[in-house]
Amino acid sequence: MLVTHAPPRWIKPLVLDDILSSLSPRIVSHRLTPAIKLLNSHYRRNFCHTIAMAAPKVNSSGESLPEHAGGKWYSVPDLRLRDHRFTVPLDYRYPTTSLKISIFAREVVAVGKEDQSLPYLLFLQGGPGFESPRPTEGSGWILKACEEFRVILMDQRGTGLSTPLTTSSMLQFKSARDLADYLKHFRVDSIVNDAEFICVRLVPGSGPWTVLGQSYGGFCAVTYLSFAPQGLKQVLPTGGIPPIGDGCTADTVYGACFEQVARQNEKYYKRYPQDIEVVREVVNYLAESEGGGMRLVPLPSGGILTPRGLQLLGISGLGSSAGFERLHSLFEMVWDPLIVPGAPKKISFYFLNAFDNCQFTVRVLRLGGRPVHFTGEMMFPWMFDEIHALKHFIDAAYLLAREGRLACII
C-alpha cells in the first residue's frame, strides 16, 4: 500500500493534512490511522446513500439535478453503449453544502450482453486532463475487455463531459485565489471519491470492481489502493506507477527522465543526422536579436514560438512509435519557400500550426555546438509566460505551488 510504504513527507500533502476529512467512510481504510476502522460494505453503501439524499441536488443556477441519470442503450459496430451522469459534491468534506459538479461515465458491453451479469471494469484515462476514450467501433483493448467485463469509461472530473476545466470556463473566476481554491478539488483523492460514488450506484452490491489505469490513470489506481482497497477486486496499472521510494521528489524524477530523454535525442539524431543543422538553424533564427529583443514568431493560438518552446516537440517526437519520422517530416517543412526574390526567410504556417497541435512542455538544453535537445513530459514555470492558453492562470498556479498542491493536481 502506498500509505504503508511511501515516505511520510511524500504522503503528507495528499493524505495527512485535509484528505482524511475529505474521504467518505467507504474510502477511509484502517491503514490510514489505527484509530479508524475499516467499515463494512453495508455501512459504506448506506453512508454514500445518505450523502446523496442529504445533499441539495441543484446546480449553481438553482436547477434540480438527479443523483444519477442513466441513458438508453445505443450501438456502434460490435458494441452497445449507455451514458450515465452523476451529481457529486465538489468537496467531499461537505457533502450537504458543497457545490455540485457533474461526472460523466459511459458503460460499454459487447452486443447481446446488455442484461448479462458481468464483472465491472473501471478505466482510468491517462493525462492528466484527457477524457476517456470514445468508442466508435469494437476494436482494441475495449473489445477484448468486453469479452469478460462490463466496461465503465469515466471522464475524470475536469475533463470531457465531467464539468470540464477549460480556458474559457476558468476565466469565470474573479480572482486567482478563487480559482486556486476551486482547483484543489480536482486532485487524485477526489477522483477516487468519484469512482466510489459511481461504484455504489452501478455495481450490484457496491462492488468490488476491477480498475484499469493507464499512465496517470495508474497513479489514480495506486491512490485507490491506498484509500479504498476494499472497493477493488484487482488493479491493472499500465505504464503508470507513481514514485514512492524514499527521496522521490519532482527534481529526482525529472532528473531520471532527462537521462532517458537525452538517450532518445541521441537516437533521433543518429537516424536523421541532417536534422542537427536544421534544428540549430531554427533555434538561431528564433534567438536572433530583432529590435533589441528576441525575434517574435507568432503562433496561430496567439502565443509566440521561442527557442525553449521549440524543444517541446520532443513530447510527441521522442516517446511514441513513428515519432522520429513525424518529427523529421515536420522539420522538412519548417521554412516557407522563397518564391519572390529578396523575400525574408520565415517559418512556415504549416510548421507553426503543427507545433500548436502538439504543444506540451519543454526545457532549454543548448550545449554549445552540440545538437539542440528536445525534451519530454515535463512542466516548468516559464510555460505560464509563453503558452497563450496558460497566461491567464499564472497567479493561481503560483498560489497552488506555494501551498504544495500543484504536484497533487498534475
Side-chain angles (χ1 to χ4, degrees):
M1 292 300 176
L2 178 63
V3 173
T4 303
H5 300 294
R9 64 178 176 276
W10 190 86
I11 304 170
K12 188 175 186 298
L14 185 62
V15 177
L16 301 183
D17 286 342
D18 62 335
I19 301 306
L20 281 176
S21 60
S22 73
L23 301 174
S24 73
R26 172 167 175 136
I27 300 293
V28 177
S29 164
H30 66 291
R31 292 185 179 270
L32 294 178
T33 170
I36 301 176
K37 302 299 182 181
L38 182 63
L39 301 175
N40 61 49
S41 177
H42 175 76
Y43 179 82
R44 286 184 268 119
R45 289 200 304 274
N46 287 345
F47 181 87
C48 291
H49 182 70
T50 301
I51 290 178
M53 296 301 294
K57 304 180 188 66
V58 297
N59 61 15
S60 58
S61 302
E63 300 170 322
S64 177
L65 295 173
E67 169 193 331
H68 172 212
K72 296 181 179 180
W73 289 103
Y74 58 99
S75 298
V76 298
D78 299 319
L79 298 174
R80 294 280 283 167
L81 298 86
R82 179 167 60 178
D83 295 345
H84 299 268
R85 287 176 171 81
F86 303 86
T87 302
V88 306
L90 173 68
D91 187 345
Y92 277 92
R93 294 176 300 176
Y94 310 106
T96 60
T97 58
S98 171
L99 291 174
K100 300 298 178 289
I101 62 173
S102 177
I103 300 297
F104 173 83
R106 179 161 287 150
E107 182 179 358
V108 186
V109 298
V111 172
K113 293 187 175 182
E114 297 91 328
D115 298 323
Q116 290 188 19
S117 178
L118 299 169
Y120 281 70
L121 182 147
L122 172 69
F123 176 71
L124 295 175
Q125 173 65 38
F130 299 131
E131 67 274 11
S132 245
R134 297 320 196 231
T136 57
E137 62 179 1
S139 62
W141 72 265
I142 292 180
L143 181 62
K144 182 65 176 178
C146 285
E147 294 177 3
E148 179 181 350
F149 293 98
R150 188 176 297 270
V151 177
I152 305 298
L153 303 174
M154 180 183 77
D155 286 351
Q156 296 165 21
R157 56 169 59 198
T159 73
L161 296 177
S162 294
T163 312
L165 294 170
T166 66
T167 301
S168 53
S169 68
M170 288 190 289
L171 288 175
Q172 297 172 25
F173 289 95
K174 303 301 182 182
S175 71
R177 177 74 271 168
D178 290 344
L179 175 58
D181 288 341
Y182 186 76
L183 292 177
K184 290 178 185 178
H185 303 298
F186 288 78
R187 302 176 301 186
V188 179
D189 57 295
S190 293
I191 294 172
V192 172
N193 268 305
D194 292 338
E196 283 289 273
F197 188 99
I198 292 174
C199 182
V200 299
R201 286 155 182 81
L202 281 188
V203 182
S206 300
W209 58 2
T210 294
V211 171
L212 171 62
Q214 190 273 324
S215 190
Y216 176 72
F219 282 48
C220 297
V222 171
T223 301
Y224 207 149
L225 277 168
S226 297
F227 288 172
Q230 67 279 2
L232 299 168
K233 182 177 181 180
Q234 56 185 339
V235 171
L236 311 172
T238 62
I241 298 293
I244 61 176
D246 189 29
C248 279
T249 65
D251 287 340
T252 57
V253 172
Y254 273 37
C257 289
F258 280 134
E259 292 179 5
Q260 178 63 26
V261 172
R263 287 192 288 269
Q264 289 298 101
N265 274 273
E266 293 170 2
K267 292 178 183 178
Y268 172 73
Y269 285 125
K270 185 176 181 180
R271 185 176 301 181
Y272 296 107
Q274 65 270 38
D275 286 356
I276 294 175
E277 186 56 38
V278 173
V279 176
R280 185 183 293 135
E281 184 181 13
V282 176
V283 169
N284 289 335
Y285 174 88
L286 295 172
E288 284 177 1
S289 176
E290 185 175 90
M294 187 176 292
R295 181 189 299 271
L296 297 181
V297 178
L299 292 164
S301 64
I304 59 172
L305 181 59
T306 65
R308 60 185 175 185
L310 180 76
Q311 293 170 281
L312 64 80
L313 290 173
I315 185 62
S316 61
L318 299 183
S320 59
S321 59
F324 286 6
E325 285 64 40
R326 289 195 298 269
L327 189 59
H328 171 69
S329 297
L330 184 60
F331 276 102
E332 283 185 319
M333 301 184 66
V334 65
W335 300 111
D336 268 337
L338 295 179
I339 58 178
V340 176
K345 189 173 187 177
K346 287 188 175 182
I347 295 177
S348 68
F349 179 82
Y350 169 86
F351 183 90
L352 297 174
N353 189 61
F355 174 88
D356 263 345
N357 290 335
C358 67
Q359 192 169 164
F360 201 83
T361 62
V362 52
R363 173 196 182 192
V364 175
L365 193 58
R366 285 184 287 156
L367 304 175
R370 293 175 59 183
V372 177
H373 280 198
F374 301 100
T375 60
E377 194 168 340
M378 295 96 180
M379 185 171 184
F380 299 92
W382 64 263
M383 295 172 63
F384 289 88
D385 294 313
E386 295 190 10
I387 297 178
H388 183 69
L390 299 179
K391 287 183 176 181
H392 300 288
F393 312 119
I394 185 170
D395 291 336
Y398 276 100
L399 282 172
L400 290 165
R402 281 198 297 268
E403 296 171 7
R405 305 294 188 181
L406 190 58
C408 299
I409 295 176
I410 64 173

